[in-house]
Every structure is written in C-alpha cells, then in structure tokens.
Amino acid sequence: MDVLLTQLPAMIGVLIGVVGTLVTTAVADAARWRREQRVRFDERLLDVSAEYAAAIREIVQTLASMTAHVRPGEKSPPLTPEEGKSILDAANRRRMLAWESLCLVADDATVKAGSDLWSAVRPLQYAVRDLATFSPDDWEPLDRVVRAQQRDFYQAVRRSLAIGPLGVPVSRYERAAQST
C-alpha cells in the first residue's frame, strides 16, 4: 500500500498530463476545422458572388449591344434583337442559378445588395425589350442606377469577406451626379 501511495502523485501527474493533452488537441483541432470551414465558405461566397455579378454584367452588356445602333457614341458591338434575346436568355439562366447559390451562402446584407442589383437591371431590360419604343435618353439614368447598385453589391461581398474598401473608380455618370 505504501508503494501505491508513493507512486500516486506521479500517476496523478501523468493522468493530468494525458487529459491536458487530449483537451488541448481537441480545442486546437476544433479551431483548425473552423478556420478551414471559414476559408472554404469564403471561397464559395466569392465564387458565387463573381458568377452572379458576371451574369448581371453580361445581361447589361447585351442590352447595351442591342441598343448600340440607336445610342450615339456607344462602343458596344451591335447585336440583332434575335441574337440579343438568345444571349439574354442564357445569361438570365446563369443569373438565376447563381442567385440560388448566393441566397444559400451569403449573409443578409449581401443577399439584399444582390436583390437590389437585379431590381436595378430589370427596368433597363424592360426598356430595351421593345426596341421600337426605346428612347436612347432612357439608357443613361437607368445605367447609372445599375452601376451604383453593382458597386453596392461588390461592397457588401467585400464586407462579408472582411476585405477592405472597394477600389473601383467612380464612373463618369457618378462624377456628374456628385457635381450637381
């Protein structure tokens, strides 16, 4: 019994060491797992946000090309209404798929900014839908709203990813609006 009592402090020390090692390892593994998950989540959010923004940009660029023949100074390559409709249909499908993914991985502010961006594009798309009644004067104010919402969407994504401020230069439309 005396032998057991003399070895008891050493056994308790070993037991405390084993438990301490297990706890430390478990905490470190959990922290590493959370970091890895966050990196994967951030990568997915970045990919989905880029897909969504690219689809929106393609829609706007296609609309610009469809109206290039009636807007003086437009540098977009002109498209016929049939070509434009085909491209718009494909871009809208990509936008809808990206939107579903965005809603799953983004925070509320980013989802709202994405929704606001699409809400800004829709009036432009409706204005161009009937080229017979489209007025070239309608383009600039609608495009200005789209660009502002696009910048807001980018900023929301960057905030969600904890990236610094957006480094996109102010467009000529926004400079004109700021000076008035």
Side-chain angles (χ1 to χ4, degrees), residues 17-29:
V18 168
V19 170
T21 300
L22 290 174
V23 168
T24 304
T25 303
V27 168
D29 286 348

Short mmCIF file of all heavy atoms in Angstrom, two decimals, residues 17-29:
data_model
loop_
_atom_site.label_atom_id
_atom_site.label_comp_id
_atom_site.label_asym_id
_atom_site.label_seq_id
_atom_site.Cartn_x
_atom_site.Cartn_y
_atom_site.Cartn_z
N GLY A 17 -1.56 15.14 -17.21
CA GLY A 17 -0.87 15.41 -18.49
C GLY A 17 -1.61 14.84 -19.68
O GLY A 17 -1.76 15.49 -20.72
N VAL A 18 -2.11 13.61 -19.55
CA VAL A 18 -2.87 12.97 -20.64
C VAL A 18 -4.16 13.73 -20.91
O VAL A 18 -4.48 14.03 -22.06
CB VAL A 18 -3.15 11.48 -20.30
CG1 VAL A 18 -4.16 10.89 -21.26
CG2 VAL A 18 -1.86 10.68 -20.33
N VAL A 19 -4.89 14.06 -19.84
CA VAL A 19 -6.14 14.80 -20.02
C VAL A 19 -5.86 16.17 -20.63
O VAL A 19 -6.56 16.63 -21.54
CB VAL A 19 -6.90 14.91 -18.67
CG1 VAL A 19 -8.06 15.88 -18.77
CG2 VAL A 19 -7.38 13.54 -18.22
N GLY A 20 -4.83 16.84 -20.15
CA GLY A 20 -4.46 18.15 -20.69
C GLY A 20 -4.12 18.07 -22.16
O GLY A 20 -4.52 18.93 -22.97
N THR A 21 -3.37 17.06 -22.55
CA THR A 21 -3.01 16.87 -23.95
C THR A 21 -4.25 16.61 -24.80
O THR A 21 -4.40 17.17 -25.89
CB THR A 21 -2.02 15.70 -24.10
OG1 THR A 21 -0.85 16.00 -23.34
CG2 THR A 21 -1.64 15.48 -25.55
N LEU A 22 -5.15 15.76 -24.31
CA LEU A 22 -6.38 15.48 -25.06
C LEU A 22 -7.23 16.73 -25.23
O LEU A 22 -7.74 17.01 -26.33
CB LEU A 22 -7.19 14.39 -24.35
CG LEU A 22 -6.60 12.98 -24.39
CD1 LEU A 22 -7.43 12.03 -23.51
CD2 LEU A 22 -6.55 12.47 -25.81
N VAL A 23 -7.37 17.51 -24.16
CA VAL A 23 -8.18 18.74 -24.23
C VAL A 23 -7.53 19.74 -25.18
O VAL A 23 -8.19 20.33 -26.04
CB VAL A 23 -8.38 19.34 -22.82
CG1 VAL A 23 -8.96 20.74 -22.90
CG2 VAL A 23 -9.28 18.44 -22.00
N THR A 24 -6.24 19.94 -25.05
CA THR A 24 -5.52 20.88 -25.92
C THR A 24 -5.63 20.47 -27.39
O THR A 24 -5.88 21.29 -28.27
CB THR A 24 -4.05 20.99 -25.50
OG1 THR A 24 -3.98 21.36 -24.12
CG2 THR A 24 -3.30 21.98 -26.34
N THR A 25 -5.44 19.20 -27.65
CA THR A 25 -5.53 18.69 -29.02
C THR A 25 -6.95 18.86 -29.56
O THR A 25 -7.13 19.29 -30.71
CB THR A 25 -5.12 17.21 -29.07
OG1 THR A 25 -3.80 17.08 -28.56
CG2 THR A 25 -5.18 16.67 -30.49
N ALA A 26 -7.94 18.57 -28.75
CA ALA A 26 -9.34 18.71 -29.20
C ALA A 26 -9.67 20.17 -29.50
O ALA A 26 -10.30 20.48 -30.53
CB ALA A 26 -10.29 18.15 -28.15
N VAL A 27 -9.24 21.08 -28.65
CA VAL A 27 -9.50 22.51 -28.87
C VAL A 27 -8.77 23.00 -30.12
O VAL A 27 -9.34 23.72 -30.95
CB VAL A 27 -9.09 23.33 -27.62
CG1 VAL A 27 -9.08 24.82 -27.90
CG2 VAL A 27 -10.03 23.02 -26.46
N ALA A 28 -7.52 22.60 -30.29
CA ALA A 28 -6.75 23.01 -31.47
C ALA A 28 -7.36 22.45 -32.75
O ALA A 28 -7.46 23.14 -33.76
CB ALA A 28 -5.29 22.57 -31.32
N ASP A 29 -7.76 21.17 -32.71
CA ASP A 29 -8.40 20.56 -33.89
C ASP A 29 -9.71 21.26 -34.24
O ASP A 29 -10.00 21.49 -35.41
CB ASP A 29 -8.64 19.07 -33.66
CG ASP A 29 -7.37 18.25 -33.74
OD1 ASP A 29 -6.33 18.78 -34.18
OD2 ASP A 29 -7.43 17.05 -33.34
#
